[in-house]
Amino acid sequence: MQRPAPTERIIERLPAPLRELARPHVPLGTLTTLGIGGSAAVLCPIRNAEQAQRFQAFCGESSTPLTILGGGSNILADDAGFPGLVLQMSDERLEFRGDLLTVGSGASFDEMIRRSLEAGLTGLEFASGIPGTVGGAMVGNAGCYGHQIGDFLVEAHVLREDGRLETVGPEYFGFEYRRTRLQGSGDILLGVSLRLSRGDLAAATASRDEKIADRRRKHPINEPCAGSWFKNLPPAEPGGRRRAAGVLLEEVGAKKMTVGGAAVFARHANIIVNRGDATSADVLTLADRMKSAVSERFGVVLEPEVKYLCPPAT
Ligand SMILES: Cc1cc2nc3c(=O)[nH]c(=O)nc-3n(C[C@H](O)[C@H](O)[C@H](O)COP(=O)(O)OP(=O)(O)OC[C@H]3O[C@@H](n4cnc5c(N)ncnc54)[C@H](O)[C@@H]3O)c2cc1C
């Protein structure tokens, strides 16, 4: 296996128009809401399909590791950083046609919801306050309060791992609870069209305010975190509700668990916070303890929702 190219070598080999976009040695802690992680060798914000295609081709030809970052709100980045190219979608275009919303994957997810309501379109208010980008939300099928964003997708523009640009429908994503086929596939999501509705705007706006207030009560405000660490559990019987992982974690005393600078949030047993100086190893050890405690007591294996960004195995 080839050794990862250092920053300067990557930048030197990039074709001139792409080189202008490259930012060397960017700490991943500044790009993720947990505030942890070593440096990305090279960070490139990209605006369009052509740039994405050219970076993807470059990485293939030069064996440079490639990863995609949205708002970094569902990621634990390793202290070793990432020895390749980190692409960050910066296409924030947003356009309404009738009840169809077309939006670039780099747009802020919550800002998209706010602007939809401003345009008189309802449906997405349930997800108000979820941090990150449209791309991250679609790829992870973000959701809450029993709803998920995948239900609104009409079509998406995707740069496939093999370099083809395609327009695909919901079946391509295979939406499941916090899961889609795009995760880990190497595909880059460029933009989506979502079908909204002209419902009761006053009720939708009130619901948005309520959801944001609820998040302020339940989630950390000053401590960096990445949202719920583990996925909720499948329903006990078909058609039932998912069981909150946080309830089992609370029962095993997770709220008192700490490792180094990482701690379980005092008001939510399924959230890990960075108390200021947490390392990725602290967080991984803590998550492991939480998982083991639940497995020992309940015989249930928790699955992480947060993605771990680390150097590729050599
Ligand atoms: C306080 C807080 C509350 C949260 N509440 C919720 C909640 O209620 N429900 C919920 O579902 N999540 C929640 N989250 C988690 C997180 O905000 C969501 O998962 C969000 O949708 C992630 O988007 P992102 O842009 O930050 O993605 P990132 O964290 O940057 O990336 C997540 C994954 O998506 C991939 N990805 C991102 N963009 C693209 C793209 N354009 N193409 C291909 N792959 C891409 C990345 O490679 C990575 O694997 C919460 C997080 C926090 C911090």
Side-chain angles (χ1 to χ4, degrees), residues 111-223:
E111 179 64 8
M112 170 187 79
I113 299 173
R114 193 190 65 74
R115 287 189 53 191
S116 303
L117 290 170
E118 209 173 68
L121 291 166
T122 62
L124 301 181
E125 55 282 355
F126 74 91
S128 295
I130 294 185
T133 60
V134 170
M138 296 310 308
V139 169
N141 194 15
C144 47
Y145 304 106
H147 302 282
Q148 54 183 27
I149 190 64
D151 293 340
F152 297 81
L153 184 80
V154 176
E155 61 178 33
H157 297 288
V158 175
L159 173 61
R160 301 277 300 265
E161 200 194 7
D162 61 11
R164 275 179 299 151
L165 283 168
E166 279 191 3
T167 300
V168 298
E171 67 293 339
Y172 182 77
F173 281 70
F175 289 111
E176 287 176 31
Y177 171 75
R178 302 295 175 273
R179 220 193 125 59
T180 69
R181 258 191 59 193
L182 269 77
Q183 284 169 335
S185 68
D187 287 359
I188 300 176
L189 181 63
L190 301 167
V192 294
S193 294
L194 307 176
R195 174 89 58 211
L196 308 184
S197 43
R198 297 207 176 263
D200 181 339
L201 195 56
T205 307
S207 166
R208 170 173 168 77
D209 294 346
E210 197 184 290
K211 300 291 185 290
I212 290 174
D214 196 35
R215 283 177 181 278
R216 286 211 181 104
R217 276 193 301 273
K218 291 182 180 159
H219 293 158
I221 292 174
N222 297 318
E223 291 157 300

Side-chain angles (χ1 to χ4, degrees), residues 283-298:
V283 174
L284 290 172
T285 308
L286 177 58
D288 213 46
R289 282 194 196 157
M290 294 159 76
K291 183 175 166 174
S292 300
V294 167
S295 157
E296 277 160 28
R297 169 87 77 90
F298 299 105

Side-chain angles (χ1 to χ4, degrees), residues 213-278:
D214 196 35
R215 283 177 181 278
R216 286 211 181 104
R217 276 193 301 273
K218 291 182 180 159
H219 293 158
I221 292 174
N222 297 318
E223 291 157 300
C225 78
S228 293
W229 200 267
F230 296 102
K231 293 184 181 182
N232 287 331
L233 302 161
E237 64 250 11
R241 284 174 72 102
R242 284 192 166 263
R243 294 166 296 157
V247 172
L248 304 190
L249 286 160
E250 178 132 23
E251 296 245 339
V252 298
K255 282 180 176 170
K256 294 204 170 68
M257 293 182 185
T258 62
V259 175
V264 176
F265 181 47
R267 282 186 280 134
H268 195 315
N270 194 14
I271 292 181
I272 293 178
V273 294
N274 172 7
R275 293 191 296 188
D277 56 354

